[in-house]
Amino acid sequence: TQLLEQSPQFLSIQEGENLTVYCNSSSVFSSLQWYRQEPGEGPVLLVTVVTGGEVKKLKRLTFQFGDARKDSSLHITAAQTGDTGLYLCAAGGTSYGKLTFGQGTILTVHP
Amino acid sequence: DAGITQSPRYKITETGRQVTLMCHQTWSHSYMFWYRQDLGHGLRLIYYSAAADITDKGEVPDGYVVSRSKTENFPLTLESATRSQTSVYFCASGYEKLFFGSGTQLSVL
């Protein structure tokens, strides 16, 4: 089982600030996904990265996959209160659905 | 409406009782999954199914039983509930992209 370390575990910032969440492992990932989860709901997929060095952008969110495919980051520019939630990284093995999840980062954006 | 639904949303039970959590999806996805979410552990895979009548263990299968007689349903049964099974349970379907239900919050007293 791949172990995914997410950091920080908690993040509390003001609206307009930038932030970065990290996801690291000693194993090589075949693919990595980022999910966002709101209270009382299931996780919702934000992005999938599969190529080392890949960068994907989703509006104010930038996702980066490390060159060695062992780490990933999620950067949010000019955070908004609507970004508040739990962010989870998840790594896939031979089967996409058999995901290993990180512990998650709880992001709170204050107005 | 198309989607994945879980029931019940909340369940309180006592140790030793049998509990079944239901999951239904309308996309005809072959793959379905059960995860549990606990503070500090993220989501952990309990069981998954590649198709009707095909199931396999995940990371934390002990104390759980699954079945999949129809593609759209994937119930999870706790045969004799224990306090350590107090958790939020999520069902998901899909393959390259997973779609999660809204979860069942289970408390075992």
Side-chain angles (χ1 to χ4, degrees), chain A residues 33 35 37 40-43 45 86 88 94-99 101-103, chain B residues 9 31 33 35 37 40-43 45 48 90 95-98 100-102:
Chain A
Q33 298 182 323
Y35 288 80
Q37 184 179 13
E41 296 298 327
L45 179 65
L86 173 67
L88 296 155
T94 54
S95 172
Y96 274 98
K98 283 185 65 180
L99 298 174
F101 282 84
Q103 315 97 305
Chain B
R9 280 300 303 262
Y31 279 81
F33 308 85
Y35 286 88
Q37 186 172 35
H41 290 281
L43 285 101
L45 182 63
Y48 69 100
F90 287 98
Y95 188 67
E96 292 188 356
K97 178 176 181 177
L98 290 193
F100 284 83
S102 297

PDB file of all heavy atoms in Angstrom, chain A residues 33 35 37 40-43 45 86 88 94-99 101-103, chain B residues 9 31 33 35 37 40-43 45 48 90 95-98 100-102:
ATOM      1  N   GLN A  33      -4.727  11.929  -8.136  1.00  0.00           N
ATOM      2  CA  GLN A  33      -5.929  12.735  -8.238  1.00  0.00           C
ATOM      3  C   GLN A  33      -6.055  13.648  -7.028  1.00  0.00           C
ATOM      4  O   GLN A  33      -5.581  13.332  -5.945  1.00  0.00           O
ATOM      5  CB  GLN A  33      -7.161  11.825  -8.337  1.00  0.00           C
ATOM      6  CG  GLN A  33      -7.157  10.932  -9.565  1.00  0.00           C
ATOM      7  CD  GLN A  33      -8.414  10.079  -9.672  1.00  0.00           C
ATOM      8  OE1 GLN A  33      -8.940   9.619  -8.672  1.00  0.00           O
ATOM      9  NE2 GLN A  33      -8.890   9.879 -10.891  1.00  0.00           N
ATOM     10  N   TYR A  35      -9.089  15.648  -4.851  1.00  0.00           N
ATOM     11  CA  TYR A  35     -10.510  15.751  -4.594  1.00  0.00           C
ATOM     12  C   TYR A  35     -10.773  16.882  -3.609  1.00  0.00           C
ATOM     13  O   TYR A  35      -9.930  17.215  -2.780  1.00  0.00           O
ATOM     14  CB  TYR A  35     -11.049  14.457  -3.969  1.00  0.00           C
ATOM     15  CG  TYR A  35     -11.133  13.279  -4.904  1.00  0.00           C
ATOM     16  CD1 TYR A  35     -10.007  12.517  -5.200  1.00  0.00           C
ATOM     17  CD2 TYR A  35     -12.338  12.923  -5.492  1.00  0.00           C
ATOM     18  CE1 TYR A  35     -10.087  11.424  -6.051  1.00  0.00           C
ATOM     19  CE2 TYR A  35     -12.433  11.829  -6.342  1.00  0.00           C
ATOM     20  CZ  TYR A  35     -11.302  11.093  -6.618  1.00  0.00           C
ATOM     21  OH  TYR A  35     -11.383  10.007  -7.458  1.00  0.00           O
ATOM     22  N   GLN A  37     -13.797  17.984  -0.775  1.00  0.00           N
ATOM     23  CA  GLN A  37     -14.953  17.475  -0.058  1.00  0.00           C
ATOM     24  C   GLN A  37     -15.538  18.545   0.842  1.00  0.00           C
ATOM     25  O   GLN A  37     -14.814  19.170   1.615  1.00  0.00           O
ATOM     26  CB  GLN A  37     -14.552  16.249   0.781  1.00  0.00           C
ATOM     27  CG  GLN A  37     -15.705  15.569   1.493  1.00  0.00           C
ATOM     28  CD  GLN A  37     -15.257  14.346   2.275  1.00  0.00           C
ATOM     29  OE1 GLN A  37     -14.067  14.124   2.494  1.00  0.00           O
ATOM     30  NE2 GLN A  37     -16.205  13.537   2.712  1.00  0.00           N
ATOM     31  N   GLY A  40     -20.586  16.946   4.978  1.00  0.00           N
ATOM     32  CA  GLY A  40     -21.822  16.218   4.707  1.00  0.00           C
ATOM     33  C   GLY A  40     -21.944  15.678   3.296  1.00  0.00           C
ATOM     34  O   GLY A  40     -22.996  15.150   2.928  1.00  0.00           O
ATOM     35  N   GLU A  41     -20.879  15.791   2.528  1.00  0.00           N
ATOM     36  CA  GLU A  41     -20.910  15.311   1.144  1.00  0.00           C
ATOM     37  C   GLU A  41     -19.713  14.418   0.868  1.00  0.00           C
ATOM     38  O   GLU A  41     -18.750  14.391   1.632  1.00  0.00           O
ATOM     39  CB  GLU A  41     -20.899  16.491   0.163  1.00  0.00           C
ATOM     40  CG  GLU A  41     -22.118  17.386   0.257  1.00  0.00           C
ATOM     41  CD  GLU A  41     -23.411  16.656  -0.076  1.00  0.00           C
ATOM     42  OE1 GLU A  41     -23.377  15.740  -0.929  1.00  0.00           O
ATOM     43  OE2 GLU A  41     -24.456  16.980   0.536  1.00  0.00           O
ATOM     44  N   GLY A  42     -19.781  13.696  -0.251  1.00  0.00           N
ATOM     45  CA  GLY A  42     -18.644  12.879  -0.642  1.00  0.00           C
ATOM     46  C   GLY A  42     -17.616  13.703  -1.403  1.00  0.00           C
ATOM     47  O   GLY A  42     -17.913  14.808  -1.864  1.00  0.00           O
ATOM     48  N   PRO A  43     -16.416  13.174  -1.549  1.00  0.00           N
ATOM     49  CA  PRO A  43     -15.381  13.879  -2.313  1.00  0.00           C
ATOM     50  C   PRO A  43     -15.792  14.038  -3.772  1.00  0.00           C
ATOM     51  O   PRO A  43     -16.461  13.177  -4.339  1.00  0.00           O
ATOM     52  CB  PRO A  43     -14.163  12.959  -2.191  1.00  0.00           C
ATOM     53  CG  PRO A  43     -14.431  12.103  -0.999  1.00  0.00           C
ATOM     54  CD  PRO A  43     -15.918  11.921  -0.970  1.00  0.00           C
ATOM     55  N   LEU A  45     -14.064  14.874  -7.559  1.00  0.00           N
ATOM     56  CA  LEU A  45     -12.794  14.919  -8.263  1.00  0.00           C
ATOM     57  C   LEU A  45     -12.547  16.298  -8.875  1.00  0.00           C
ATOM     58  O   LEU A  45     -13.409  16.864  -9.558  1.00  0.00           O
ATOM     59  CB  LEU A  45     -12.776  13.862  -9.375  1.00  0.00           C
ATOM     60  CG  LEU A  45     -11.507  13.791 -10.217  1.00  0.00           C
ATOM     61  CD1 LEU A  45     -10.323  13.352  -9.361  1.00  0.00           C
ATOM     62  CD2 LEU A  45     -11.694  12.853 -11.401  1.00  0.00           C
ATOM     63  N   LEU A  86     -12.298  20.284   2.557  1.00  0.00           N
ATOM     64  CA  LEU A  86     -11.256  19.286   2.776  1.00  0.00           C
ATOM     65  C   LEU A  86     -10.693  18.893   1.419  1.00  0.00           C
ATOM     66  O   LEU A  86     -11.437  18.520   0.515  1.00  0.00           O
ATOM     67  CB  LEU A  86     -11.842  18.059   3.480  1.00  0.00           C
ATOM     68  CG  LEU A  86     -10.925  16.845   3.652  1.00  0.00           C
ATOM     69  CD1 LEU A  86      -9.788  17.165   4.601  1.00  0.00           C
ATOM     70  CD2 LEU A  86     -11.724  15.650   4.170  1.00  0.00           C
ATOM     71  N   LEU A  88      -8.185  16.423  -0.659  1.00  0.00           N
ATOM     72  CA  LEU A  88      -7.593  15.090  -0.542  1.00  0.00           C
ATOM     73  C   LEU A  88      -6.813  14.759  -1.798  1.00  0.00           C
ATOM     74  O   LEU A  88      -7.300  14.973  -2.907  1.00  0.00           O
ATOM     75  CB  LEU A  88      -8.688  14.038  -0.361  1.00  0.00           C
ATOM     76  CG  LEU A  88      -9.528  14.114   0.896  1.00  0.00           C
ATOM     77  CD1 LEU A  88     -10.884  13.475   0.675  1.00  0.00           C
ATOM     78  CD2 LEU A  88      -8.817  13.409   2.047  1.00  0.00           C
ATOM     79  N   THR A  94      -2.597  -0.026 -10.131  1.00  0.00           N
ATOM     80  CA  THR A  94      -2.929  -0.620 -11.420  1.00  0.00           C
ATOM     81  C   THR A  94      -4.395  -0.380 -11.767  1.00  0.00           C
ATOM     82  O   THR A  94      -4.782  -0.434 -12.918  1.00  0.00           O
ATOM     83  CB  THR A  94      -2.656  -2.134 -11.411  1.00  0.00           C
ATOM     84  OG1 THR A  94      -3.365  -2.701 -10.306  1.00  0.00           O
ATOM     85  CG2 THR A  94      -1.175  -2.395 -11.248  1.00  0.00           C
ATOM     86  N   SER A  95      -5.200  -0.131 -10.750  1.00  0.00           N
ATOM     87  CA  SER A  95      -6.613   0.139 -10.975  1.00  0.00           C
ATOM     88  C   SER A  95      -6.931   1.528 -10.447  1.00  0.00           C
ATOM     89  O   SER A  95      -6.678   1.828  -9.303  1.00  0.00           O
ATOM     90  CB  SER A  95      -7.471  -0.889 -10.250  1.00  0.00           C
ATOM     91  OG  SER A  95      -8.839  -0.527 -10.314  1.00  0.00           O
ATOM     92  N   TYR A  96      -7.457   2.377 -11.312  1.00  0.00           N
ATOM     93  CA  TYR A  96      -7.748   3.738 -10.885  1.00  0.00           C
ATOM     94  C   TYR A  96      -8.611   3.779  -9.641  1.00  0.00           C
ATOM     95  O   TYR A  96      -8.418   4.584  -8.769  1.00  0.00           O
ATOM     96  CB  TYR A  96      -8.476   4.494 -12.015  1.00  0.00           C
ATOM     97  CG  TYR A  96      -7.564   5.122 -13.022  1.00  0.00           C
ATOM     98  CD1 TYR A  96      -7.284   4.489 -14.217  1.00  0.00           C
ATOM     99  CD2 TYR A  96      -6.982   6.364 -12.777  1.00  0.00           C
ATOM    100  CE1 TYR A  96      -6.458   5.076 -15.149  1.00  0.00           C
ATOM    101  CE2 TYR A  96      -6.163   6.953 -13.715  1.00  0.00           C
ATOM    102  CZ  TYR A  96      -5.898   6.306 -14.894  1.00  0.00           C
ATOM    103  OH  TYR A  96      -5.075   6.890 -15.825  1.00  0.00           O
ATOM    104  N   GLY A  97      -9.616   2.948  -9.569  1.00  0.00           N
ATOM    105  CA  GLY A  97     -10.563   3.059  -8.469  1.00  0.00           C
ATOM    106  C   GLY A  97     -10.011   2.629  -7.139  1.00  0.00           C
ATOM    107  O   GLY A  97     -10.480   3.074  -6.100  1.00  0.00           O
ATOM    108  N   LYS A  98      -8.993   1.760  -7.137  1.00  0.00           N
ATOM    109  CA  LYS A  98      -8.401   1.314  -5.884  1.00  0.00           C
ATOM    110  C   LYS A  98      -7.420   2.377  -5.429  1.00  0.00           C
ATOM    111  O   LYS A  98      -6.220   2.245  -5.569  1.00  0.00           O
ATOM    112  CB  LYS A  98      -7.677  -0.018  -6.076  1.00  0.00           C
ATOM    113  CG  LYS A  98      -8.595  -1.204  -6.154  1.00  0.00           C
ATOM    114  CD  LYS A  98      -7.804  -2.497  -6.219  1.00  0.00           C
ATOM    115  CE  LYS A  98      -7.024  -2.732  -4.934  1.00  0.00           C
ATOM    116  NZ  LYS A  98      -6.249  -3.992  -4.994  1.00  0.00           N
ATOM    117  N   LEU A  99      -7.981   3.433  -4.893  1.00  0.00           N
ATOM    118  CA  LEU A  99      -7.169   4.586  -4.549  1.00  0.00           C
ATOM    119  C   LEU A  99      -6.662   4.526  -3.119  1.00  0.00           C
ATOM    120  O   LEU A  99      -7.346   4.039  -2.223  1.00  0.00           O
ATOM    121  CB  LEU A  99      -7.988   5.858  -4.735  1.00  0.00           C
ATOM    122  CG  LEU A  99      -8.477   6.148  -6.151  1.00  0.00           C
ATOM    123  CD1 LEU A  99      -9.407   7.358  -6.141  1.00  0.00           C
ATOM    124  CD2 LEU A  99      -7.296   6.391  -7.086  1.00  0.00           C
ATOM    125  N   PHE A 101      -5.683   7.218  -0.292  1.00  0.00           N
ATOM    126  CA  PHE A 101      -5.888   8.628  -0.016  1.00  0.00           C
ATOM    127  C   PHE A 101      -4.909   9.148   1.021  1.00  0.00           C
ATOM    128  O   PHE A 101      -4.506   8.425   1.943  1.00  0.00           O
ATOM    129  CB  PHE A 101      -7.309   8.863   0.512  1.00  0.00           C
ATOM    130  CG  PHE A 101      -8.360   8.858  -0.551  1.00  0.00           C
ATOM    131  CD1 PHE A 101      -8.907   7.670  -1.003  1.00  0.00           C
ATOM    132  CD2 PHE A 101      -8.819  10.049  -1.099  1.00  0.00           C
ATOM    133  CE1 PHE A 101      -9.880   7.661  -1.984  1.00  0.00           C
ATOM    134  CE2 PHE A 101      -9.796  10.055  -2.083  1.00  0.00           C
ATOM    135  CZ  PHE A 101     -10.326   8.857  -2.522  1.00  0.00           C
ATOM    136  N   GLY A 102      -4.550  10.417   0.883  1.00  0.00           N
ATOM    137  CA  GLY A 102      -3.835  11.106   1.941  1.00  0.00           C
ATOM    138  C   GLY A 102      -4.809  11.446   3.064  1.00  0.00           C
ATOM    139  O   GLY A 102      -6.020  11.265   2.930  1.00  0.00           O
ATOM    140  N   GLN A 103      -4.263  11.952   4.182  1.00  0.00           N
ATOM    141  CA  GLN A 103      -5.114  12.251   5.348  1.00  0.00           C
ATOM    142  C   GLN A 103      -5.994  13.469   5.113  1.00  0.00           C
ATOM    143  O   GLN A 103      -6.976  13.680   5.825  1.00  0.00           O
ATOM    144  CB  GLN A 103      -4.275  12.483   6.608  1.00  0.00           C
ATOM    145  CG  GLN A 103      -3.172  11.474   6.822  1.00  0.00           C
ATOM    146  CD  GLN A 103      -1.851  12.003   6.300  1.00  0.00           C
ATOM    147  OE1 GLN A 103      -1.735  12.395   5.133  1.00  0.00           O
ATOM    148  NE2 GLN A 103      -0.847  12.025   7.156  1.00  0.00           N
TER     149      GLN A 103
ATOM    150  N   ARG B   9     -28.681   7.893   5.678  1.00  0.00           N
ATOM    151  CA  ARG B   9     -27.679   8.940   5.856  1.00  0.00           C
ATOM    152  C   ARG B   9     -27.066   8.861   7.245  1.00  0.00           C
ATOM    153  O   ARG B   9     -25.876   9.137   7.412  1.00  0.00           O
ATOM    154  CB  ARG B   9     -28.297  10.331   5.674  1.00  0.00           C
ATOM    155  CG  ARG B   9     -28.489  10.777   4.233  1.00  0.00           C
ATOM    156  CD  ARG B   9     -27.192  10.837   3.456  1.00  0.00           C
ATOM    157  NE  ARG B   9     -26.182  11.697   4.049  1.00  0.00           N
ATOM    158  CZ  ARG B   9     -25.933  12.935   3.680  1.00  0.00           C
ATOM    159  NH1 ARG B   9     -26.645  13.493   2.731  1.00  0.00           N
ATOM    160  NH2 ARG B   9     -24.959  13.640   4.239  1.00  0.00           N
ATOM    161  N   TYR B  31     -17.414  -0.781 -11.974  1.00  0.00           N
ATOM    162  CA  TYR B  31     -16.703  -0.764 -10.704  1.00  0.00           C
ATOM    163  C   TYR B  31     -17.468   0.005  -9.645  1.00  0.00           C
ATOM    164  O   TYR B  31     -17.963   1.102  -9.887  1.00  0.00           O
ATOM    165  CB  TYR B  31     -15.318  -0.128 -10.872  1.00  0.00           C
ATOM    166  CG  TYR B  31     -14.278  -1.064 -11.435  1.00  0.00           C
ATOM    167  CD1 TYR B  31     -14.195  -1.305 -12.809  1.00  0.00           C
ATOM    168  CD2 TYR B  31     -13.378  -1.721 -10.594  1.00  0.00           C
ATOM    169  CE1 TYR B  31     -13.245  -2.176 -13.317  1.00  0.00           C
ATOM    170  CE2 TYR B  31     -12.418  -2.589 -11.100  1.00  0.00           C
ATOM    171  CZ  TYR B  31     -12.370  -2.805 -12.457  1.00  0.00           C
ATOM    172  OH  TYR B  31     -11.418  -3.665 -12.965  1.00  0.00           O
ATOM    173  N   PHE B  33     -17.185   0.792  -5.141  1.00  0.00           N
ATOM    174  CA  PHE B  33     -16.233   0.760  -4.026  1.00  0.00           C
ATOM    175  C   PHE B  33     -16.914   1.179  -2.732  1.00  0.00           C
ATOM    176  O   PHE B  33     -17.839   1.990  -2.742  1.00  0.00           O
ATOM    177  CB  PHE B  33     -15.071   1.742  -4.294  1.00  0.00           C
ATOM    178  CG  PHE B  33     -14.417   1.558  -5.631  1.00  0.00           C
ATOM    179  CD1 PHE B  33     -14.935   2.165  -6.774  1.00  0.00           C
ATOM    180  CD2 PHE B  33     -13.281   0.775  -5.754  1.00  0.00           C
ATOM    181  CE1 PHE B  33     -14.335   1.997  -8.008  1.00  0.00           C
ATOM    182  CE2 PHE B  33     -12.672   0.595  -6.987  1.00  0.00           C
ATOM    183  CZ  PHE B  33     -13.204   1.205  -8.105  1.00  0.00           C
ATOM    184  N   TYR B  35     -15.619   2.878   0.894  1.00  0.00           N
ATOM    185  CA  TYR B  35     -14.545   3.481   1.673  1.00  0.00           C
ATOM    186  C   TYR B  35     -15.100   3.883   3.039  1.00  0.00           C
ATOM    187  O   TYR B  35     -16.282   4.181   3.180  1.00  0.00           O
ATOM    188  CB  TYR B  35     -14.007   4.746   1.007  1.00  0.00           C
ATOM    189  CG  TYR B  35     -13.149   4.518  -0.208  1.00  0.00           C
ATOM    190  CD1 TYR B  35     -13.720   4.407  -1.479  1.00  0.00           C
ATOM    191  CD2 TYR B  35     -11.765   4.442  -0.099  1.00  0.00           C
ATOM    192  CE1 TYR B  35     -12.923   4.210  -2.594  1.00  0.00           C
ATOM    193  CE2 TYR B  35     -10.965   4.244  -1.215  1.00  0.00           C
ATOM    194  CZ  TYR B  35     -11.554   4.131  -2.447  1.00  0.00           C
ATOM    195  OH  TYR B  35     -10.770   3.933  -3.561  1.00  0.00           O
ATOM    196  N   GLN B  37     -14.221   6.732   6.187  1.00  0.00           N
ATOM    197  CA  GLN B  37     -13.453   7.946   6.443  1.00  0.00           C
ATOM    198  C   GLN B  37     -13.391   8.217   7.934  1.00  0.00           C
ATOM    199  O   GLN B  37     -14.421   8.356   8.593  1.00  0.00           O
ATOM    200  CB  GLN B  37     -14.078   9.147   5.726  1.00  0.00           C
ATOM    201  CG  GLN B  37     -13.236  10.416   5.826  1.00  0.00           C
ATOM    202  CD  GLN B  37     -13.769  11.529   4.952  1.00  0.00           C
ATOM    203  OE1 GLN B  37     -14.970  11.683   4.763  1.00  0.00           O
ATOM    204  NE2 GLN B  37     -12.876  12.313   4.371  1.00  0.00           N
ATOM    205  N   GLY B  40      -7.805  11.645  10.591  1.00  0.00           N
ATOM    206  CA  GLY B  40      -6.408  11.237  10.642  1.00  0.00           C
ATOM    207  C   GLY B  40      -6.045  10.108   9.706  1.00  0.00           C
ATOM    208  O   GLY B  40      -4.869   9.781   9.558  1.00  0.00           O
ATOM    209  N   HIS B  41      -7.051   9.483   9.090  1.00  0.00           N
ATOM    210  CA  HIS B  41      -6.780   8.347   8.200  1.00  0.00           C
ATOM    211  C   HIS B  41      -7.212   8.595   6.766  1.00  0.00           C
ATOM    212  O   HIS B  41      -6.989   7.780   5.895  1.00  0.00           O
ATOM    213  CB  HIS B  41      -7.489   7.100   8.701  1.00  0.00           C
ATOM    214  CG  HIS B  41      -6.906   6.535   9.964  1.00  0.00           C
ATOM    215  ND1 HIS B  41      -5.756   5.767   9.977  1.00  0.00           N
ATOM    216  CD2 HIS B  41      -7.299   6.651  11.242  1.00  0.00           C
ATOM    217  CE1 HIS B  41      -5.493   5.422  11.230  1.00  0.00           C
ATOM    218  NE2 HIS B  41      -6.402   5.946  12.012  1.00  0.00           N
ATOM    219  N   GLY B  42      -7.858   9.695   6.511  1.00  0.00           N
ATOM    220  CA  GLY B  42      -8.368   9.902   5.155  1.00  0.00           C
ATOM    221  C   GLY B  42      -9.429   8.880   4.846  1.00  0.00           C
ATOM    222  O   GLY B  42     -10.174   8.437   5.722  1.00  0.00           O
ATOM    223  N   LEU B  43      -9.506   8.456   3.605  1.00  0.00           N
ATOM    224  CA  LEU B  43     -10.437   7.411   3.201  1.00  0.00           C
ATOM    225  C   LEU B  43      -9.672   6.116   2.995  1.00  0.00           C
ATOM    226  O   LEU B  43      -8.610   6.108   2.367  1.00  0.00           O
ATOM    227  CB  LEU B  43     -11.154   7.782   1.896  1.00  0.00           C
ATOM    228  CG  LEU B  43     -12.231   8.834   2.028  1.00  0.00           C
ATOM    229  CD1 LEU B  43     -11.724  10.176   1.581  1.00  0.00           C
ATOM    230  CD2 LEU B  43     -13.442   8.433   1.202  1.00  0.00           C
ATOM    231  N   LEU B  45     -10.042   2.018   1.717  1.00  0.00           N
ATOM    232  CA  LEU B  45     -10.860   1.120   0.918  1.00  0.00           C
ATOM    233  C   LEU B  45     -11.209  -0.132   1.710  1.00  0.00           C
ATOM    234  O   LEU B  45     -10.331  -0.815   2.234  1.00  0.00           O
ATOM    235  CB  LEU B  45     -10.108   0.749  -0.365  1.00  0.00           C
ATOM    236  CG  LEU B  45     -10.840  -0.160  -1.348  1.00  0.00           C
ATOM    237  CD1 LEU B  45     -12.091   0.516  -1.881  1.00  0.00           C
ATOM    238  CD2 LEU B  45      -9.899  -0.538  -2.496  1.00  0.00           C
ATOM    239  N   TYR B  48     -14.218  -3.675  -2.899  1.00  0.00           N
ATOM    240  CA  TYR B  48     -14.591  -3.158  -4.200  1.00  0.00           C
ATOM    241  C   TYR B  48     -15.131  -4.298  -5.057  1.00  0.00           C
ATOM    242  O   TYR B  48     -14.976  -5.477  -4.728  1.00  0.00           O
ATOM    243  CB  TYR B  48     -13.425  -2.447  -4.877  1.00  0.00           C
ATOM    244  CG  TYR B  48     -12.291  -3.337  -5.316  1.00  0.00           C
ATOM    245  CD1 TYR B  48     -12.156  -3.736  -6.644  1.00  0.00           C
ATOM    246  CD2 TYR B  48     -11.328  -3.756  -4.396  1.00  0.00           C
ATOM    247  CE1 TYR B  48     -11.110  -4.537  -7.037  1.00  0.00           C
ATOM    248  CE2 TYR B  48     -10.275  -4.568  -4.792  1.00  0.00           C
ATOM    249  CZ  TYR B  48     -10.166  -4.947  -6.114  1.00  0.00           C
ATOM    250  OH  TYR B  48      -9.121  -5.744  -6.503  1.00  0.00           O
ATOM    251  N   PHE B  90     -18.479   5.770   2.683  1.00  0.00           N
ATOM    252  CA  PHE B  90     -18.766   6.295   1.354  1.00  0.00           C
ATOM    253  C   PHE B  90     -18.734   5.187   0.326  1.00  0.00           C
ATOM    254  O   PHE B  90     -17.807   4.375   0.282  1.00  0.00           O
ATOM    255  CB  PHE B  90     -17.742   7.368   0.953  1.00  0.00           C
ATOM    256  CG  PHE B  90     -17.918   8.661   1.684  1.00  0.00           C
ATOM    257  CD1 PHE B  90     -17.142   8.962   2.784  1.00  0.00           C
ATOM    258  CD2 PHE B  90     -18.877   9.578   1.262  1.00  0.00           C
ATOM    259  CE1 PHE B  90     -17.305  10.153   3.459  1.00  0.00           C
ATOM    260  CE2 PHE B  90     -19.049  10.781   1.935  1.00  0.00           C
ATOM    261  CZ  PHE B  90     -18.261  11.065   3.035  1.00  0.00           C
ATOM    262  N   TYR B  95     -14.357   4.482 -12.720  1.00  0.00           N
ATOM    263  CA  TYR B  95     -13.056   3.844 -12.915  1.00  0.00           C
ATOM    264  C   TYR B  95     -11.961   4.904 -12.952  1.00  0.00           C
ATOM    265  O   TYR B  95     -11.325   5.158 -11.949  1.00  0.00           O
ATOM    266  CB  TYR B  95     -13.050   3.006 -14.196  1.00  0.00           C
ATOM    267  CG  TYR B  95     -11.801   2.167 -14.345  1.00  0.00           C
ATOM    268  CD1 TYR B  95     -11.544   1.115 -13.471  1.00  0.00           C
ATOM    269  CD2 TYR B  95     -10.870   2.422 -15.354  1.00  0.00           C
ATOM    270  CE1 TYR B  95     -10.395   0.350 -13.590  1.00  0.00           C
ATOM    271  CE2 TYR B  95      -9.726   1.653 -15.472  1.00  0.00           C
ATOM    272  CZ  TYR B  95      -9.483   0.617 -14.597  1.00  0.00           C
ATOM    273  OH  TYR B  95      -8.346  -0.136 -14.707  1.00  0.00           O
ATOM    274  N   GLU B  96     -11.776   5.570 -14.049  1.00  0.00           N
ATOM    275  CA  GLU B  96     -10.764   6.639 -14.073  1.00  0.00           C
ATOM    276  C   GLU B  96     -11.218   7.830 -13.254  1.00  0.00           C
ATOM    277  O   GLU B  96     -10.420   8.567 -12.701  1.00  0.00           O
ATOM    278  CB  GLU B  96     -10.484   7.058 -15.516  1.00  0.00           C
ATOM    279  CG  GLU B  96      -9.792   5.985 -16.328  1.00  0.00           C
ATOM    280  CD  GLU B  96      -9.362   6.479 -17.691  1.00  0.00           C
ATOM    281  OE1 GLU B  96      -9.681   7.640 -18.024  1.00  0.00           O
ATOM    282  OE2 GLU B  96      -8.715   5.731 -18.419  1.00  0.00           O
ATOM    283  N   LYS B  97     -12.514   8.022 -13.179  1.00  0.00           N
ATOM    284  CA  LYS B  97     -13.077   9.083 -12.345  1.00  0.00           C
ATOM    285  C   LYS B  97     -14.097   8.440 -11.411  1.00  0.00           C
ATOM    286  O   LYS B  97     -14.994   7.734 -11.866  1.00  0.00           O
ATOM    287  CB  LYS B  97     -13.761  10.136 -13.222  1.00  0.00           C
ATOM    288  CG  LYS B  97     -14.422  11.242 -12.414  1.00  0.00           C
ATOM    289  CD  LYS B  97     -14.999  12.316 -13.323  1.00  0.00           C
ATOM    290  CE  LYS B  97     -15.632  13.426 -12.500  1.00  0.00           C
ATOM    291  NZ  LYS B  97     -16.149  14.533 -13.322  1.00  0.00           N
ATOM    292  N   LEU B  98     -13.934   8.676 -10.119  1.00  0.00           N
ATOM    293  CA  LEU B  98     -14.860   8.125  -9.139  1.00  0.00           C
ATOM    294  C   LEU B  98     -15.931   9.136  -8.779  1.00  0.00           C
ATOM    295  O   LEU B  98     -15.652  10.325  -8.618  1.00  0.00           O
ATOM    296  CB  LEU B  98     -14.123   7.703  -7.864  1.00  0.00           C
ATOM    297  CG  LEU B  98     -13.196   6.486  -7.934  1.00  0.00           C
ATOM    298  CD1 LEU B  98     -12.818   6.048  -6.530  1.00  0.00           C
ATOM    299  CD2 LEU B  98     -13.826   5.350  -8.701  1.00  0.00           C
ATOM    300  N   PHE B 100     -18.688   9.756  -5.830  1.00  0.00           N
ATOM    301  CA  PHE B 100     -18.990   9.332  -4.467  1.00  0.00           C
ATOM    302  C   PHE B 100     -20.418   9.684  -4.090  1.00  0.00           C
ATOM    303  O   PHE B 100     -20.967  10.707  -4.525  1.00  0.00           O
ATOM    304  CB  PHE B 100     -18.049  10.025  -3.475  1.00  0.00           C
ATOM    305  CG  PHE B 100     -16.661   9.454  -3.459  1.00  0.00           C
ATOM    306  CD1 PHE B 100     -15.714   9.851  -4.396  1.00  0.00           C
ATOM    307  CD2 PHE B 100     -16.283   8.518  -2.506  1.00  0.00           C
ATOM    308  CE1 PHE B 100     -14.427   9.330  -4.387  1.00  0.00           C
ATOM    309  CE2 PHE B 100     -15.000   7.992  -2.477  1.00  0.00           C
ATOM    310  CZ  PHE B 100     -14.078   8.397  -3.424  1.00  0.00           C
ATOM    311  N   GLY B 101     -21.007   8.833  -3.258  1.00  0.00           N
ATOM    312  CA  GLY B 101     -22.273   9.157  -2.643  1.00  0.00           C
ATOM    313  C   GLY B 101     -22.067  10.162  -1.521  1.00  0.00           C
ATOM    314  O   GLY B 101     -20.933  10.581  -1.241  1.00  0.00           O
ATOM    315  N   SER B 102     -23.148  10.536  -0.864  1.00  0.00           N
ATOM    316  CA  SER B 102     -23.077  11.546   0.198  1.00  0.00           C
ATOM    317  C   SER B 102     -22.691  10.972   1.542  1.00  0.00           C
ATOM    318  O   SER B 102     -22.523  11.708   2.508  1.00  0.00           O
ATOM    319  CB  SER B 102     -24.422  12.275   0.320  1.00  0.00           C
ATOM    320  OG  SER B 102     -24.711  12.973  -0.871  1.00  0.00           O
TER     321      SER B 102
END
